[in-house]
Amino acid sequence: MTEPHDDLDNWLHTQIDPMQPPPGTFQQIRKRARRRKRRQALLSAASAGAAAAVIVLAVVALPKVVPSVLNLHHSNPAGHSAAAPPPSSPRISDSAGTPFTARSTPVSKTPSVPPAFQASSVTFANLNTGWVLGQAAVGVPGYCRSGYCTSMARTDNAGKSWYGLHAPLTGAPDGPAGVGQVRFLDTENGWAFGPELFATHNGGATWTQVSVPNGMRVTSLETVGSTAFAVFAQCTGTGQDFAAGCTRFFLYSSPAAGNDWTPVPGLAGGFGLSSGTASSATIVLTHGEGYLYTPDGTLVSGPTTAGATWQAASPTSLPCLPGQAEADGQPAGGQFTASAPSDLALACPPSQTSGTHSDSHPETIYTSVNGGQSWQEQGSLPFPVTVTSLAANTGGILAVGTSQGIEVSSDNGANWRQTQTGPSGGFDYVGLTSPSQGVAVPADTSVHQLWFTYASGQSWVPSSISSG
């Protein structure tokens, strides 16, 4: 018997050929797959770039570690550079030896001036850029590394503000050790001295101690052009009076950009009083001509170029002698200066000019217009004071620092006017950077200030040695 016909069963058992896709279908699939792979690669690269950007931003966002003290020492008394911390170290030590870490908040771009800055010397390379050297934070526990508190500050706006700077790793003058004075020729070459000698040729980033022959002490240093000149002396002074007991003096010079100190030709024998009496000597430089004020009143001069021969002027006698040294190494007797190669000035104490004590007679001013060949008495200060410093500039401007203040003359010393009274003790130093601008260092370092004039010495304003 035939089974009934079942169409569904027949369809299920029938071989069916699959339908082919439209032409180009597989090519489209492959193209889409390639595009998908490219998008994934771009996204991966973008993610990696974003991560790198985050890392870069994280590095940039780290604040610079700015030390808060002046004497960022990179050399020690033996001239060895201080070792830098390893790159992996998260801590940096300042000159006080106190470790500190990077802060997460923005900080100043320049180091701050340490507290209680006691200035002992100031120098200017131009009208705006100057440096001050002294002691800072003395007695503050843990602040000064190894007890050395010598510090420096710099101004780039003529004393209106200050910031911290590297300083030699040494202390205040103490017999044969330490420094108390500073001179800069330009923004690169500078010297700290009295009694030791340190030099920098990179603006103070590092300081190198210069070996002084035969254990002598540096009592005076000046620089001009491309040469530095210094007075090396044989002394026996102790403590702060490092220049006391100096009986023999020698003039050395060195190219400003190096540390090659040699005796100035013609002066190899040095100078000193035949009796062996303690005295002082000082160097004064102008553009083209330099002068050495010697213990016996001889004025020695010569070109301000390294290797040039110097000789004594004729006659060999000055109106007064330099006398014994002050604590800073400068003469306690006659004060000597120059405003031009042949224009010289000298302030002489009454003990050498009138035979009387200075408490009853004022000091006398002498000038020379021919390089010391002859001298003329110009006048006297208006009242008795102890003159500690004499400065001159073109136009007949003279200024003296005294035990009571500052006095200024506009006519080569014929007439004087006291333009600054005080502070207590007066001033140890006054200098004229230009006919209109000058700076003075007070005798009382506890005031933590310098005084500036921008009006030819007719008025003076204090400048606090602090940041900001």
Side-chain angles (χ1 to χ4, degrees):
M1 179 176 180
T2 304
E3 294 181 359
H5 178 73
D6 188 341
D7 293 335
L8 179 59
D9 184 69
N10 291 336
W11 180 80
L12 290 173
H13 288 85
T14 302
Q15 184 176 355
I16 300 174
D17 296 327
M19 295 181 63
Q20 297 295 322
T25 298
F26 293 112
Q27 289 83 349
Q28 291 294 331
I29 292 173
R30 285 193 292 270
K31 288 181 180 179
R32 289 173 183 173
R34 285 196 295 268
R35 285 197 295 267
R36 186 179 299 109
K37 291 181 179 179
R38 284 197 297 269
R39 284 197 300 269
Q40 291 174 344
L42 290 174
L43 288 174
S44 298
S47 299
V54 170
I55 294 174
V56 171
L57 289 175
V59 172
V60 173
L62 286 176
K64 294 181 179 180
V65 179
V66 179
S68 61
V69 296
L70 278 180
N71 52 348
L72 308 175
H73 304 299
H74 287 259
S75 63
N76 59 25
H80 302 298
S81 298
S88 60
S89 172
R91 297 164 70 87
I92 300 176
S93 295
D94 63 11
S95 63
T98 304
F100 60 96
T101 57
R103 289 168 285 183
S104 59
T105 56
V107 293
S108 169
K109 292 183 179 180
T110 56
S112 59
V113 179
F117 196 108
Q118 301 176 2
S120 61
S121 181
V122 65
T123 179
F124 271 78
N126 53 55
L127 290 179
N128 293 315
T129 307
W131 298 258
V132 59
L133 180 142
Q135 301 295 305
V138 177
V140 178
Y143 203 93
C144 303
R145 181 196 298 176
S146 302
Y148 295 141
C149 295
T150 300
S151 302
M152 291 189 69
R154 172 171 164 164
T155 178
D156 292 318
N157 54 18
K160 296 177 178 61
S161 63
W162 300 87
Y163 59 90
L165 198 69
H166 301 291
L169 182 57
T170 188
D174 184 8
V179 294
Q181 300 291 308
V182 63
R183 295 290 184 272
F184 266 80
L185 170 66
D186 48 37
T187 56
E188 296 298 317
N189 300 293
W191 298 264
F193 65 98
E196 292 180 298
L197 178 60
F198 288 80
T200 179
H201 303 293
N202 53 18
T206 58
W207 290 86
T208 301
Q209 185 171 8
V210 179
S211 178
V212 178
N214 302 320
M216 292 190 289
R217 306 177 186 183
V218 181
T219 60
S220 179
L221 186 149
E222 299 294 342
T223 180
V224 69
S226 60
T227 309
F229 291 83
V231 174
F232 293 178
Q234 296 174 343
C235 313
T236 59
T238 60
Q240 294 182 351
D241 294 328
F242 73 92
C246 298
T247 57
R248 199 73 179 168
F249 304 86
F250 302 84
L251 184 61
Y252 278 62
S253 68
S254 171
N259 298 322
D260 184 19
W261 290 89
T262 57
V264 172
L267 308 180
F271 295 87
L273 296 178
S274 58
S275 63
T277 304
S279 186
S280 62
T282 188
I283 182 77
V284 171
L285 303 180
T286 68
H287 288 283
E289 193 75 8
Y291 296 90
L292 177 65
Y293 185 28
T294 69
D296 62 359
T298 299
L299 186 62
V300 180
S301 62
T304 55
T305 54
T309 300
W310 286 35
Q311 59 185 3
S314 179
T316 60
S317 180
L318 276 72
C320 59
L321 304 180
Q324 295 189 14
E326 296 283 4
D328 61 359
Q330 295 304 297
Q335 301 296 324
F336 176 61
T337 191
S339 60
S342 298
D343 295 337
L344 315 179
L346 190 61
C348 293
S351 59
Q352 295 193 43
T353 57
S354 63
T356 56
H357 196 267
S358 60
D359 59 4
S360 59
H361 289 76
E363 297 213 6
T364 305
I365 307 300
Y366 296 85
T367 61
S368 173
V369 295
N370 54 14
Q373 299 296 318
S374 60
W375 294 85
Q376 297 79 39
E377 181 178 338
Q378 293 294 326
S380 300
L381 298 182
F383 49 86
V385 289
T386 299
V387 173
T388 57
S389 179
L390 173 64
N393 214 298
T394 56
I397 300 175
L398 295 176
V400 294
T402 77
S403 55
Q404 297 184 18
I406 299 174
E407 299 185 34
V408 175
S409 172
S410 300
D411 53 10
N412 282 315
N415 297 280
W416 293 84
R417 184 171 76 90
Q418 189 174 55
T419 59
Q420 173 64 40
T421 302
S424 177
F427 292 87
D428 278 345
Y429 170 83
V430 62
L432 295 175
T433 312
S434 73
S436 61
Q437 187 173 311
V439 62
V441 179
D444 182 4
T445 60
S446 66
V447 299
H448 313 304
Q449 293 178 323
L450 299 175
W451 265 255
F452 282 83
T453 180
Y454 310 100
S456 302
Q458 298 305 310
S459 61
W460 295 81
V461 294
S463 169
S464 296
I465 309 173
S466 60
S467 300

